[in-house]
Amino acid sequence: MTCDHCTKAECSKRKGVTPGAAGEQAGSAGEQGAEEKEAGRGECGGEERTQALLVSDCLACGGCLSAGERVLMARQNPKQLMDVLRPPEGGRRVREVVASVSPESLAWLAARYGMDTAETARRLTGFLHGLGVHRVLDVSLARDVALAECQREFVQRFRHEPARLPLLTSSCPGWVRFVERLHGEAVAPYLSRVRSAQQVMGALLKERFAQRQGVGAEELFHVTVMPCYDRKLEATRPEFQHATGETPHVDCVLTTGELVSMLDAEGKSLAEIEPGPLDTLFGEEGAEGPGQERLWGPGRPGGPDGAVGCYLEAVLRHAAHKLFGVDVKEVTYSTLRNKDMWEAHVERDGEVLLRFAGACGLRNVQNVVAKLRRGRLLYHFVEISACPSGCLNGPGQPSDQAGGQPGGQPGGGNLAAAQEAYRAATPRDPPDLREVGSDWLGEADSGRALRELVTTTFQTRATGDAEQGHQW
């Protein structure tokens, strides 16, 4: 029996113990143990639900959760959202509820209910409006902002900090967790400082949108719909709090599967929901129009199958033009060890100017890290996702109609159909960062001000630290 997220055939250092003895045994061994697991998230070996896991053997892949992390995740669920929308006596009351939907969740819902992404967006908006959500937005807007900042960051490093190349994307919280826990300062300096799209959206909403709406950050409740459980943990990171330090940028993360469970609880199919008009950020809700259409959809997807690799392709095109004056009309990918690892080059007169790569799944990620630490990773940029096939196959995606495995598990869900729905969505060109900054901030130096909202730091430990712990 193996862990879905582990590369070992068996874990020789894992010892089964009774729930009450877990802490004792870990302590006597001189290493910190972990109580685990969240159902459906890599139950180590499928054996006892509570195990003692030696941190020295932990891959920090996100498949295992400490007791504290499990509590943090359990707080974010459909009941939390409903308690805000229909507060019980003495419950929290808010003035604005905003839902942000990831394009991967939207594509999976489109595949599950047999609709295109545009129709899915309208019916999902209708469902959430019916619950009492004021605005339903697409996280792709924030991803556009993150992409623009990542493009700027890469050019800056290429020109002035070549020793910090390759630039490794940091949009996957499971991957960031892996680096912080296991590799520390040996790998963290290569991470992009750009926040994930979820956290960019949260910062923009809580720091700027709330202010423009005349409400306090604590009076705006922000819920996201994501394909990944690790997004719940990401939302609890201390650096992703409002400037006052009293409210998170993202209050609640629901997985796609949890959203489907809300529909199922009401005996409804999304295809039966009355569609609603798409929302805007500024102005009246439901102000649908040509300008709003561009806010829904995956932007400019990339990768060998057109459903992953959007950072790689966007940064490669921008860098080729900015650094070398080369306009890349079409990106050609070469598959490497397997379908989840690929590369793309920019050449001129037979000389390779830029060498980019993408890696999905822990096995490929481990290979990337091993080569980096040995000084043998000969790329300028690597886009990384902890899940095989990328975020579309996240463990928070619901199982298919036939009762298959959830997303993120081998052969689970409607992955192929979701990939097709994602590819079929109308792509958009990323916006100019200055224009976005001006829209959001209204300041002369909007680029710098926006940058402060969309970048982050990392919590690293000395490599090889025995007490790596289980906090972010």
Side-chain angles (χ1 to χ4, degrees), residues 41 60 62 64-66 68-70 72-73 76 170-181 191 196 198-199 228-240 456-461 468-472:
R41 299 195 69 243
C64 304
L65 295 175
S66 70
E69 289 170 338
R70 191 162 63 246
L72 289 173
M73 289 178 60
Q76 303 177 56
S170 58
S171 57
C172 170
W175 152 244
V176 170
R177 193 169 174 228
F178 175 81
V179 171
E180 289 181 325
R181 283 185 169 187
L191 288 174
S196 70
Q198 170 179 277
Q199 297 309 138
C228 176
Y229 287 96
D230 280 329
R231 295 290 176 198
K232 294 175 183 275
L233 290 175
E234 181 185 38
T236 68
R237 290 179 69 109
E239 58 267 34
F240 297 147
T456 187
T457 56
F458 305 102
Q459 301 177 21
T460 58
R461 301 174 178 85
Q468 294 186 58
H470 292 273
Q471 300 300 316
W472 278 82

Side-chain angles (χ1 to χ4, degrees), residues 82 118 337 419:
M82 296 310 298
R337 300 168 61 95
Q419 289 174 328

Side-chain angles (χ1 to χ4, degrees), residues 188-210:
Y190 299 94
L191 288 174
S192 167
R193 293 188 64 240
V194 181
R195 300 185 184 198
S196 70
Q198 170 179 277
Q199 297 309 138
V200 169
M201 195 72 172
L204 294 176
L205 287 170
K206 288 294 185 85
E207 303 290 343
R208 299 298 175 177
F209 178 71

Side-chain angles (χ1 to χ4, degrees), residues 264-459:
D264 292 344
E266 297 192 16
K268 296 179 179 178
S269 164
L270 189 61
E272 301 169 351
I273 300 294
E274 187 70 23
L278 302 180
D279 290 328
T280 64
L281 282 168
F282 307 114
E284 296 299 319
E285 299 109 53
E288 186 177 354
Q292 179 60 15
E293 287 290 339
R294 66 172 294 281
L295 298 183
W296 286 87
R300 188 177 291 278
D305 64 0
V308 291
C310 64
Y311 277 81
L312 185 156
E313 187 158 322
V315 175
L316 183 145
R317 291 176 185 272
H318 175 82
H321 176 78
K322 194 79 173 178
L323 294 170
F324 302 103
V326 175
D327 292 321
V328 178
K329 293 182 172 57
E330 183 176 352
V331 178
T332 302
Y333 295 96
S334 301
T335 302
L336 300 176
R337 300 168 61 95
N338 51 64
K339 68 179 181 63
D340 278 335
M341 191 161 186
W342 60 93
E343 66 179 12
H345 302 158
V346 174
E347 298 185 11
R348 183 173 60 191
D349 300 328
E351 177 188 3
V352 176
L353 304 175
L354 294 171
R355 191 187 298 269
F356 280 36
C360 295
L362 185 61
R363 185 174 284 106
N364 289 327
V365 169
Q366 286 180 298
N367 288 330
V368 166
V369 170
K371 287 185 177 181
L372 175 65
R373 299 193 64 162
R374 294 175 190 145
R376 295 170 53 195
L377 190 64
L378 305 179
Y379 295 109
H380 297 104
F381 182 97
V382 184
E383 180 170 3
I384 292 179
S385 173
C387 289
S389 299
C391 293
L392 267 175
N393 198 33
Q397 303 284 47
S399 60
D400 59 24
Q401 299 281 14
Q405 296 295 317
Q409 311 299 328
N414 295 325
L415 177 59
Q419 289 174 328
E420 182 57 35
Y422 193 93
R423 286 191 294 264
T426 303
R428 305 182 319 278
D429 290 324
D432 184 280
L433 186 59
R434 290 169 298 180
E435 293 179 3
V436 174
S438 178
D439 289 344
W440 279 96
L441 309 179
E443 300 173 7
D445 194 11
S446 57
R448 177 178 298 177
L450 181 63
R451 191 167 301 129
E452 293 175 356
L453 291 181
V454 303
T455 55
T456 187
T457 56
F458 305 102
Q459 301 177 21

